[in-house]
Amino acid sequence: MAKVNLRKVVKKYGALQVVHGIDLEIDDNEFVVLVGPSGCGKSTTLRMIAGLEAISDGEISIGERVVNDLPPRNRNISMVFQNYALYPHMTVRENLGFSLKIAKRPQEEIDRAVEAAAQILSLSEYMDRKPGALSGGQRQRVAMGRAIVRHPDVFLFDEPLSNLDAKLRTQMRTEIKKLHQKVKSTIVYVTHDQVEAMTLADRIVIMRDGHIEQVGTPLEVFETPANTFVATFIGSPPMNLLAGRVADGEIAIEGGPQIAVPDPFSGKVVNGQEVILGFRSDNLMPAGHAMPMEGGFTEFDMKVDLSEPLGTETLLFGSLAGKEVQAKMLNPRPVSDGEELRFQLDLTRCHLFDANSQQSLR
Amino acid sequence: MSRFRPPPWFVLLLPAIIILSAVVLIPLLLSLYSSFTPYRLTRPETLYKWIGTYNYEKAIESAHFWAAFGRTILLLTIALNLEMLMGLGLALLVNKVTYGQRTLRTVMMFPMMFSPILVGFQFKFIFNDNVGLVNNALQSLGLSNVAIPWLVDGQLAFFSILVAEMWSSTSVFAILILAGLFAVPRDPIEAAKVDGCTPWQSFRHITLPYIMPFIYIALAIRSLDVARAYDIVQIMTNGGPARRTELLWTLIGRTGYVDAKMGYANAMGYISIFLAIFFTIYFFRKLNAARSELGMAG
Amino acid sequence: MNENLQYRIRARLLKVLHFVTLFIAMAIICVPGLWVVLNSFRPTVEIMAKPPVWVPGDLNLDNYRAMFGAVGEGGVPVLQYFTNSLIISVTSTLIAILVGMAGGYAFARFRFKGKASIFIGLMLTRAVPGVSLSLPLFIVMAKTGLIDTHMGLILVYVALNVPFTIWLIDGFFRQVPVELAEAAEIDGCTRWQAFWKVEFPVARAGVASAGIFAFLTSWNEYALASQLTRSTFSKTMPVGLRDFTSEFTINWGGMCALAVLMIIPALILTFLVQKHLIAGLTFGGVKG
Amino acid sequence: MGNQRLKSLLCATALVAVAGNAAAGEFDGVTLQAKLIGGQQYEALYARIGEWEEKTGAKVDVISKKNHFELDKEFKSDLAAGTLGWCVGSNHSSFASQYPSLYTDLTPFLTADFIAEYVPSNIAASKIGDALVMLPRAQFDVSALYYLKSVYEDDDNKAAYKAKTGRDLAPPDTWDEYKEQAIFFTDAPNFYGTQYAGKDEAIVGRFYELVIAEGGQLFNDDWSPAFNSDAGKRALKWFVDLYEAGAVPPGTTSYLWDDLGQGFASGTIALNLDWPGWAGFFNGEDSSKAAGNVGVKVQPAGTAGVRTGWSGHHGFSVTESCDNKEAAASLVAWLTNEDSQKLESSAGPLPTRTAVWGHVVSSAEGDAYRTEVLKAFQAAASHAFPAPQTPYWIEATNLIYPELQAAILGDKSIDDALSDASEAVDEMMQENGVY
């Protein structure tokens, strides 16, 4: 149980800098998810916390202890790897007990800890098999069990679910969440899957190109994305973004409708400013198939190019100002391709970004 | 028209089987036959005189033969183990290098370019007691003021041969084990580090089991090739002095070609073939065990 | 911070230690070899001098000049030996690889009775010591007129190398999924094309490493070559080394010069194949 | 039968001319295959093969050129495989008796006069029984004593030696004196009194000549071993004492001739019993540090008053299976005739023809060193005797030398070593049906 602090942490490979001085404070027992596209430096950051990569500059501390140069074994951490990294020549039992055996704990203690972990993860019937004889999900559980056994200060997860099929992934996600509740420990979790991030995290850290773009609770990052990158990365389908210019309290979408500047942004724009209007498909709905709009909204016509019925709702693909735009239809009825519908855009839930900095204008 | 059509695997193996029979099996049968005759190179007619197991009995009763036999096993055991350890060390050292590794690997294989016979001459001169490199160096550095008889003293001669043999063959181990190290996945090693292993512990518990198959492959290959040491020993000491470094191969070579007693030499040769076969099968077994340990059998 | 400093210092020290150990190891590997190279440029008096001459005072090409010189001036038909060695090693390596590829493919792709025993049996043919083989082999070769020909030695070296080649290549073909060839066949290849165009390229590294081992074995082999060659027509370089030994003397300087000539092509080849070599051994080795 | 005899008679008469001076076009279209000893010092002579080819119209095809040990191995393989299509082979008196069936008797192809031109003892050593199986070339080997002059001219040495023994310091004339001086000169590890070849046939040869010098014999007349005698023990003790006293380099038991030659040439060995072939090398500025400092003397004598003199010579032989023995014999005669021997001995080796000896001695006039060498070796040659002429000589040496080494290195006592060796040789001779 410990805090993890990253201060101005830099990672360079020769001349190539992959992590650009990030700052991050992770609280005791907090479940933090690092998320971002591949190559954003999230795994590197995790591996620096683990001590598997040396840091080039800055400082990392676990608990109150600076661990910059400490080897992994002295950091009291556990890690679950993407490929599980089970020891192929050891049985499940040996895999689970390995770290305790290395620490020269008495055998009974090892047995007890291993049994306990096996209980938690329902591994008891596979204890004498070797990893080669286990299924993907079972291996995943062994990998997690191995991490639990040590009672570490911090759990590190490096994309642990990416090798599982969709169904198993959902199931394991729940188990990890439960696990966190049971073992109450600091967890740093890396994934490129924003759904995983949203469902698991206490706080999400969104990274791009070695920088932290935004840190916040899942709802914060969803509802108030700091910039267009976060806006498109979090949430599915991604936020619609349309470029426009502010003119007299309205945003003129080039070759599209004029849309009033949404309330939260009204004092924050000046005439002639290049902006980007962002809204999620949940907030653009055909009239008659929409949620009741409480605040201001605007209406315009749009041709539907393609529709994807999902059952309770239908995803509609149209285009505005030459850009593809996604909308949702509640209580769906069949829509034929090319049909023109009247859409309502909920202005209270719109986002506005500066076109130059891409930062939110909120 | 029911013509026999051999299965495809047989057709594919046929060239190998034919060439090995022609070059190894037939000559071997010939020498097996001659081991039951008093065959003498200089008197071809002796090839047709059957004397049963006389040569074998003579070999089995010969103290010199068993001394050479024991010494050969001793040399093999020590050499193979030391070469394995040194090769392992070398591979680990090279594996850690990140820049210029390709060159280092080539350098590491340098001794493999040396024909064993050349290695023999080379170390014969290096260990020469009077003008040899080693004694010269020791004397020039003031570490010794006597001419150490490297190739004469029983233990030293054995040691010198061992050094030459190791110099020429450690590379084979190193390159095979290095290949093994390349094949070790990174994850389990990192997992071990995180699990609290010291570098030695992660080597001992993770890396080593992974490269064990490679080590056995190297041992098997080398045990197949050990007779190559014949050239080295023959040039360096030829079994002498006073039979102190006599190995099976030098004994057989001298009996067969210098004394011309081919029948007797072949009988001893057959006994030594069993030795080679034993070593080989032993390492193959170990190899398979190490593989199934990692779940790689089949 | 103190703890960190301690570990940082330890890491530095380990790095230095690694460098020093590596340097010493490489020195041990190189010195005896480079000593040969150095000696090839020195006159025998200086090599054999007592007290030793540590700083070479007289480096020259005399040994090389003599080696390439005419008969009677210490000349050795070294170009002829070189050509022989090259023809024999290259041809035998190529054939060994072809035969080994067929055999390896058979072991990797087909199931048949007694597979394991056949495999071990093939391997064991290599365990036969050259000494026990050389005379009967000589007799067989003499009876078939293969003595003192390139062909004779090529056959012997093919046999010597086939077991190991089969082993490595077998391991390699196992790495190539069966589906690959099947996919190629569905794409319109014949069985043969599927092999050459799909499976072979994937296994190329294995072939390369088997090749380099086979080449080095043939290039350096002495015991059998000395028995099966007679004249300059077929003598290989290791046998040629013996030209520098006569009843009473060893021309060590000259021997070193020839040795250098032997080492260089092998070294170049190894360097070129280096990358494949490691990959080849890696995959060839583990599974199988 | 009569026809056969007539034919050889005809050949013999034809060869009267051939022997010295081959007749033109005599062997047109004949190709002879030859296996010759290779090595720098033997090569010069082979240039004369071309001349013979021109004269006779025959062609010589050298199918193998190796050093003698390799050649020996090859001959044995040939006998085994029956690959005996070749005609002319290099031979050596110490090896010749191993292959009694390989080479033909040359007597029918040569005139008695021609044979008489060779040194008689060399001809005797070239025979197996009555068959003349080889003609000696100008490569006669017997050892004489090489020594460093400076060691004997050194005043400190002289005084110290006098004080120690009461005798004047001079190159030794007996083996006991030799041993004494060798121990006296030694200053290990930089300077040794002497050295000896310590393995293979070489040490047995040395032992053999010392046994003779001590008044003993290596073999009895029936070829049973005779060296386990007082003479044999004294002979072996000479080796053992030198080694124990550290008067020889400690590696001496692994030395062969090249090590000895290099050792003496390095100027760190005072006394060295060695072959004539080295004379030039030892005194060559390029090859030897002892150059200008080399003295040569007839080899010392043993307690029986007999000088050592184990000798051997190279020669050429004609195979029994040769299709064209006349041509082959002509070639062999050509390669060992007066001109050939003059050519070959001009580079240093000793001739085996009486006339050439005279020629060599007279041509060395004015060259003090060369004259000293020749005088010493002429004296040495007069005490020469060949290696025991049994086909089992080499095999016997392989049984004897490890025992000699064992005694020298202290693994066994002299008595044990000799009795073990004797027993092994006895068993080997019986097994081979010698007696």
Side-chain angles (χ1 to χ4, degrees):
Chain A
M1 328 301 116
K3 290 182 178 181
V4 177
N5 261 322
L6 279 70
R7 279 180 287 275
K8 303 248 174 302
V9 171
V10 172
K11 178 70 194 176
K12 283 186 217 162
Y13 293 107
L16 180 73
Q17 191 161 353
V18 294
V19 174
H20 300 266
I22 57 174
D23 287 295
L24 184 63
E25 283 198 23
I26 300 168
D27 265 342
D28 227 6
N29 297 348
E30 194 180 17
F31 196 134
V32 166
V33 176
L34 303 183
V35 69
S38 53
C40 70
K42 57 187 190 299
S43 276
T44 311
T45 307
L46 188 79
R47 293 167 56 79
M48 285 192 289
I49 298 173
L52 294 172
E53 299 275 357
I55 62 172
S56 308
D57 201 1
E59 189 181 283
I60 296 181
S61 56
I62 296 177
E64 300 305 317
R65 197 159 62 131
V66 176
V67 296
N68 285 6
D69 295 297
L70 260 48
R73 65 174 185 278
N74 292 12
R75 300 187 180 202
N76 198 23
I77 45 166
S78 277
M79 185 156 167
V80 178
F81 292 79
Q82 183 172 8
N83 299 315
Y84 322 130
L86 299 180
Y87 311 126
H89 52 293
M90 301 181 194
T91 61
V92 170
R93 186 187 305 282
E94 287 163 341
N95 262 287
L96 292 177
F98 183 68
S99 59
L100 297 181
K101 196 179 125 200
I102 287 301
K104 300 213 165 59
R105 298 286 176 71
Q107 188 60 42
E108 24 180 332
E109 185 193 331
I110 299 179
D111 290 344
R112 220 177 315 122
V114 168
E115 274 319 312
Q119 282 290 321
I120 295 175
L121 293 160
S122 32
L123 283 168
S124 305
E125 41 184 315
Y126 315 119
M127 292 306 269
D128 294 314
R129 290 205 201 155
K130 283 191 177 172
L134 299 179
S135 72
Q138 289 163 346
R139 287 184 208 184
Q140 172 60 53
R141 274 210 288 275
V142 176
M144 279 176 20
R146 201 171 57 182
I148 307 174
V149 166
R150 277 193 86 196
H151 292 292
D153 289 343
V154 183
F155 281 102
L156 304 174
F157 287 81
D158 188 5
E159 310 214 16
L161 305 182
S162 60
N163 284 352
L164 299 179
D165 62 49
K167 197 176 152 208
L168 213 52
R169 204 179 305 174
T170 323
Q171 190 187 328
M172 290 305 298
R173 213 160 62 198
T174 325
E175 286 198 35
I176 291 176
K177 189 95 186 169
K178 280 191 201 148
L179 187 72
H180 182 228
Q181 286 164 352
K182 256 185 242 168
V183 301
K184 279 279 173 249
S185 172
T186 313
I187 293 183
V188 185
Y189 187 109
V190 162
T191 179
H192 63 266
D193 179 356
Q194 55 98 14
V195 180
E196 247 171 75
M198 295 291 282
T199 48
L200 288 171
D202 293 335
R203 265 198 309 157
I204 294 182
V205 177
I206 297 141
M207 293 185 68
R208 181 172 60 153
D209 296 338
H211 294 281
I212 291 180
E213 295 287 330
Q214 189 173 4
V215 183
T217 64
L219 277 182
E220 273 166 22
V221 297
F222 183 79
E223 299 201 325
T224 56
N227 52 35
T228 52
F229 173 74
V230 177
T232 46
F233 193 80
I234 299 291
S236 173
M239 188 182 278
N240 297 305
L241 295 177
L242 297 173
R245 182 190 294 269
V246 180
D248 303 328
E250 293 210 314
I251 301 164
I253 308 290
E254 232 172 282
Q258 300 268 26
I259 294 167
V261 174
D263 279 348
F265 303 96
S266 51
K268 297 181 177 167
V269 290
V270 294
N271 264 354
Q273 190 176 1
E274 303 273 354
V275 294
I276 293 169
L277 178 72
F279 52 89
R280 299 197 184 269
S281 54
D282 313 63
N283 306 118
L284 178 65
M285 300 194 178
H289 294 273
M291 307 265 260
M293 308 265 174
E294 285 157 8
F297 63 93
T298 187
E299 285 191 333
F300 49 82
D301 291 333
M302 188 172 74
K303 200 166 76 182
V304 177
D305 300 328
L306 190 72
S307 60
E308 278 181 3
L310 296 173
T312 52
E313 56 190 33
T314 294
L315 264 184
L316 302 175
F317 294 81
S319 71
L320 264 187
K323 283 201 75 176
E324 191 188 80
V325 167
Q326 298 182 27
K328 257 182 201 165
M329 175 186 238
L330 297 182
N331 309 317
R333 68 163 171 84
V335 179
S336 47
D337 295 347
E339 190 177 339
E340 195 159 276
L341 292 175
R342 183 128 195 103
F343 282 89
Q344 296 176 329
L345 175 62
D346 185 347
L347 285 178
T348 57
R349 295 208 165 254
C350 277
H351 303 267
L352 209 55
F353 305 94
D354 182 73
N356 292 320
S357 67
Q358 305 276 313
Q359 295 299 315
S360 173
L361 289 166
R362 190 180 301 270
Chain B
M1 283 293 280
S2 71
R3 246 179 60 217
F4 171 71
R5 294 207 51 183
W9 62 265
F10 184 73
V11 177
L12 285 169
L13 275 177
L14 204 58
I17 292 173
I18 289 176
I19 201 149
L20 287 174
S21 319
V23 179
V24 182
L25 216 57
I26 293 177
L28 220 51
L29 289 175
L30 207 66
S31 73
L32 178 65
Y33 165 74
S34 77
S35 70
F36 295 103
T37 69
Y39 185 37
R40 202 166 241 294
L41 285 183
T42 46
R43 285 191 304 188
E45 73 279 2
T46 50
L47 184 56
Y48 305 103
K49 193 175 154 201
W50 184 264
I51 54 167
T53 56
Y54 177 83
N55 285 324
Y56 288 92
E57 284 162 28
K58 196 172 148 193
I60 285 168
E61 283 165 17
S62 160
H64 295 316
F65 173 76
W66 287 114
F69 190 89
R71 212 173 281 120
T72 308
I73 291 185
L74 190 69
L75 179 79
L76 280 188
T77 315
I78 297 179
L80 287 179
N81 280 302
L82 282 181
E83 282 167 19
M84 192 265 280
L85 288 178
M86 307 279 282
L88 181 61
L90 194 58
L92 287 171
L93 282 176
V94 172
N95 191 39
K96 256 187 121 55
V97 173
T98 42
Y99 182 76
Q101 211 200 49
R102 193 171 161 201
T103 312
L104 269 187
R105 289 203 301 255
T106 310
V107 173
M108 190 177 85
M109 290 177 69
F110 192 43
M112 288 171 71
M113 319 292 142
F114 285 69
S115 175
I117 179 173
L118 178 61
V119 175
F121 281 117
Q122 190 182 339
F123 278 90
K124 186 181 162 184
F125 280 108
I126 287 179
F127 283 118
N128 184 296
D129 59 297
N130 192 22
V131 294
L133 193 62
V134 175
N135 273 354
N136 278 348
L138 289 178
Q139 285 164 18
S140 291
L141 293 173
L143 295 176
S144 156
N145 57 2
V146 290
I148 302 168
W150 291 104
L151 296 174
V152 174
D153 181 277
Q155 263 95 42
L156 287 180
F158 199 76
F159 170 81
S160 309
I161 288 173
L162 203 61
V163 168
E165 165 63 18
M166 278 168 59
W167 184 82
S168 92
S169 302
T170 297
S171 305
V172 179
F173 277 90
I175 198 79
L176 283 163
I177 294 174
L178 187 63
L181 286 174
F182 272 56
V184 178
R186 212 174 53 166
D187 281 1
I189 303 279
E190 296 189 335
K193 279 190 197 170
V194 174
D195 271 351
C197 285
T198 59
W200 161 250
Q201 286 170 322
S202 31
F203 171 76
R204 165 72 191 77
H205 293 287
I206 314 301
T207 313
L208 198 59
Y210 261 106
I211 55 176
M212 229 38 215
F214 286 85
I215 289 178
Y216 285 121
I217 287 170
L219 284 169
I221 291 175
R222 285 287 305 136
S223 74
L224 291 178
D225 272 352
V226 276
R228 272 157 54 121
Y230 170 66
D231 295 339
I232 297 179
V233 182
Q234 201 234 343
I235 301 291
M236 283 180 74
T237 64
N238 199 10
R243 297 200 174 91
R244 282 171 172 181
T245 58
E246 185 89 293
L247 301 178
L248 279 179
W249 316 305
T250 54
L251 181 64
I252 294 169
R254 190 167 45 250
T255 310
Y257 282 106
V258 185
D259 294 352
K261 291 196 286 195
M262 232 346 133
Y264 182 40
N266 280 334
M268 292 193 289
Y270 259 86
I271 301 177
S272 80
I273 287 174
F274 288 123
L275 184 66
I277 290 179
F278 166 78
F279 265 88
T280 310
I281 291 184
Y282 174 77
F283 288 127
F284 263 102
R285 290 240 161 125
K286 287 289 212 180
L287 170 63
N288 280 332
R291 273 179 184 156
S292 53
E293 177 95 325
L294 287 173
M296 294 188 222
Chain C
M1 217 46 210
N2 217 356
E3 199 182 6
N4 279 292
L5 191 69
Q6 200 183 322
Y7 276 103
R8 195 152 50 213
I9 290 169
R10 188 192 284 189
R12 287 265 156 83
L13 280 179
L14 280 176
K15 210 168 214 174
V16 173
L17 189 71
H18 171 239
F19 182 80
V20 172
T21 325
L22 188 68
F23 183 82
I24 292 173
M26 287 296 153
I28 291 174
I29 288 173
C30 289
V31 167
L34 291 180
W35 183 69
V36 168
V37 177
L38 182 68
N39 283 348
S40 74
F41 296 105
R42 303 171 76 185
T44 308
V45 226
E46 200 179 295
I47 305 172
M48 300 291 171
K50 183 85 194 180
V53 181
W54 288 112
V55 181
D58 185 13
L59 293 179
N60 57 49
L61 290 171
D62 285 355
N63 288 323
Y64 292 90
R65 225 169 278 139
M67 183 168 69
F68 287 108
V71 172
E73 298 165 11
V76 166
V78 55
L79 288 178
Q80 178 77 44
Y81 293 163
F82 189 87
T83 324
N84 291 338
S85 268
L86 207 62
I87 293 174
I88 291 170
S89 303
V90 169
T91 319
S92 67
T93 302
L94 289 179
I95 299 177
I97 283 180
L98 282 179
V99 175
M101 239 164 25
Y105 196 77
F107 281 117
R109 283 284 188 268
F110 295 93
R111 286 167 170 274
F112 47 90
K113 238 199 210 157
K115 190 163 157 180
S117 342
I118 296 180
F119 187 75
I120 295 266
L122 287 183
M123 292 306 134
L124 284 181
T125 55
R126 178 136 182 189
V128 180
V131 201
S132 341
L133 207 57
S134 61
L135 186 87
L137 196 57
F138 170 82
I139 295 175
V140 172
M141 291 271 166
K143 298 281 182 217
T144 49
L146 284 172
I147 210 79
D148 203 22
T149 62
H150 289 163
M151 203 41 180
L153 263 193
I154 288 173
L155 278 178
V156 171
Y157 290 159
V158 169
L160 216 56
N161 285 319
V162 153
F164 187 47
T165 316
I166 288 187
W167 185 359
L168 266 187
I169 295 181
D170 160 44
F172 231 90
F173 279 129
R174 277 166 206 247
Q175 297 294 306
V176 185
V178 192
E179 292 83 359
L180 217 55
E182 288 170 352
E185 279 185 76
I186 289 167
D187 284 347
C189 288
T190 61
R191 189 79 196 77
W192 185 241
Q193 282 174 320
F195 174 78
W196 275 115
K197 299 219 156 126
V198 179
E199 291 180 283
F200 175 68
V202 181
R204 209 166 38 196
V207 173
S209 53
I212 187 85
F213 272 91
F215 179 83
L216 287 178
T217 308
S218 327
W219 186 257
N220 288 330
E221 205 279 338
Y222 169 76
L224 292 172
S226 73
Q227 188 67 12
L228 299 176
T229 61
R230 303 258 119 137
S231 59
T232 54
F233 177 72
S234 70
K235 267 163 92 171
T236 57
M237 290 209 278
V239 184
L241 277 181
R242 276 284 192 185
D243 284 6
F244 294 100
T245 66
S246 55
E247 196 151 2
F248 293 136
T249 56
I250 294 179
N251 177 1
W252 178 232
M255 214 183 239
C256 288
L258 182 55
V260 169
L261 212 65
M262 263 168 78
I263 293 162
I264 289 173
L267 204 60
I268 293 174
L269 193 72
T270 312
F271 187 73
L272 292 180
V273 186
Q274 189 56 249
K275 205 175 82 194
H276 293 302
L277 181 64
I278 288 283
L281 292 174
T282 307
F283 293 110
V286 197
K287 310 220 169 172
Chain D
M1 276 306 276
N3 199 10
Q4 186 70 34
R5 191 177 295 160
L6 186 67
K7 204 172 161 191
S8 47
L9 200 69
L10 279 173
C11 292
T13 43
L15 271 149
V16 176
V18 169
N21 195 5
E26 199 187 346
F27 303 117
D28 267 335
V30 173
T31 299
L32 294 177
Q33 290 188 323
K35 297 194 170 193
L36 303 179
I37 183 167
Q40 229 167 303
Q41 66 270 50
Y42 310 119
E43 293 286 327
L45 176 64
Y46 303 148
R48 271 179 65 80
I49 293 175
E51 270 176 69
W52 180 80
E53 287 178 332
E54 247 170 62
K55 282 212 164 96
T56 60
K59 253 201 71 54
V60 178
D61 186 7
V62 179
I63 56 169
S64 188
K65 225 184 231 184
K66 291 178 169 175
N67 78 43
H68 219 118
F69 299 104
E70 297 291 303
L71 217 50
D72 173 58
K73 214 168 132 181
E74 189 170 313
F75 291 154
K76 288 170 181 166
S77 309
D78 278 337
L79 280 169
T83 44
L84 297 166
W86 46 281
C87 276
V88 175
S90 277
N91 206 345
H92 191 284
S93 55
S94 296
F95 286 85
S97 53
Q98 287 187 89
Y99 356 90
S101 63
L102 180 60
Y103 293 123
T104 193
D105 181 10
L106 290 167
T107 326
F109 305 101
L110 304 165
T111 61
D113 290 346
F114 185 75
I115 295 174
E117 287 166 22
Y118 293 88
V119 176
S121 65
N122 293 148
I123 287 295
S126 301
K127 287 182 171 174
I128 297 179
D130 289 331
L132 180 64
V133 292
M134 63 192 275
L135 278 183
R137 72 191 276 189
Q139 291 283 352
F140 174 66
D141 280 325
V142 65
S143 300
L145 171 62
Y146 290 93
Y147 59 91
L148 295 181
K149 284 190 205 156
S150 56
V151 173
Y152 288 92
E153 285 157 9
D154 184 276
D155 289 332
D156 293 347
N157 273 353
K158 281 185 194 167
Y161 189 73
K162 179 92 179 173
K164 196 174 168 208
T165 64
R167 276 173 277 127
D168 284 329
L169 183 60
D173 201 54
T174 68
W175 285 110
D176 284 340
E177 221 180 325
Y178 183 106
K179 179 163 81 184
E180 187 181 65
Q181 290 186 7
I183 296 169
F184 172 74
F185 291 138
T186 295
D187 177 22
N190 299 312
F191 196 83
Y192 291 97
T194 184
Q195 56 180 358
Y196 48 77
K199 65 177 187 182
D200 299 353
E201 187 213 8
I203 188 176
V204 185
R206 285 284 181 248
F207 172 70
Y208 160 59
E209 58 181 348
L210 268 170
V211 173
I212 305 266
E214 293 295 325
Q217 263 188 310
L218 207 57
F219 295 107
N220 295 313
D221 289 344
D222 64 349
W223 294 109
S224 59
F227 53 81
N228 189 14
S229 59
D230 287 344
K233 286 170 190 167
R234 281 198 302 275
L236 180 50
K237 190 162 188 305
W238 183 85
F239 292 92
V240 176
D241 286 350
L242 280 172
Y243 194 84
E244 276 181 357
V248 290
T252 205
T253 50
S254 63
Y255 285 6
L256 275 181
W257 309 119
D258 54 307
D259 305 287
L260 301 185
Q262 299 290 358
F264 187 71
S266 74
T268 59
I269 303 287
L271 296 163
N272 184 38
L273 188 70
D274 220 325
W275 307 103
W278 288 103
F281 185 86
F282 288 157
N283 212 37
E285 292 287 347
D286 296 343
S287 51
S288 166
K289 292 206 155 184
N293 188 21
V294 183
V296 194
K297 185 182 188 290
V298 68
Q299 67 275 25
T303 51
V306 181
R307 289 188 192 275
T308 54
W310 170 46
S311 69
H313 60 264
H314 292 245
F316 296 104
S317 298
V318 174
T319 57
E320 193 63 67
S321 57
C322 179
D323 291 335
N324 225 313
K325 293 201 184 69
E326 296 81 7
S330 160
L331 173 63
V332 166
W334 172 263
L335 287 174
T336 58
N337 71 15
E338 203 167 315
D339 289 342
S340 293
Q341 292 220 352
K342 277 179 182 167
L343 170 76
E344 211 172 358
S345 58
S346 67
L350 303 182
T352 48
R353 282 175 154 261
T354 321
V356 182
W357 265 108
H359 166 78
V360 172
V361 172
S362 65
S363 68
E365 259 170 51
D367 180 341
Y369 176 70
R370 183 88 191 116
T371 307
E372 186 186 349
V373 169
L374 283 172
K375 266 178 60 193
F377 277 102
Q378 213 164 5
S382 67
H383 303 288
F385 46 85
Q389 278 160 307
T390 158
Y392 307 109
W393 163 239
I394 297 291
E395 200 176 334
T397 65
N398 279 332
L399 292 170
I400 298 171
Y401 87 78
E403 304 298 340
L404 300 184
Q405 288 179 329
I408 291 167
L409 297 174
D411 291 357
K412 281 184 185 175
S413 71
I414 292 178
D415 289 2
D416 287 351
L418 285 184
S419 85
D420 287 354
S422 175
E423 208 170 287
V425 172
D426 184 50
E427 191 187 314
M428 182 270 290
M429 289 291 181
Q430 289 193 41
E431 196 176 291
N432 286 321
V434 176
Y435 48 84

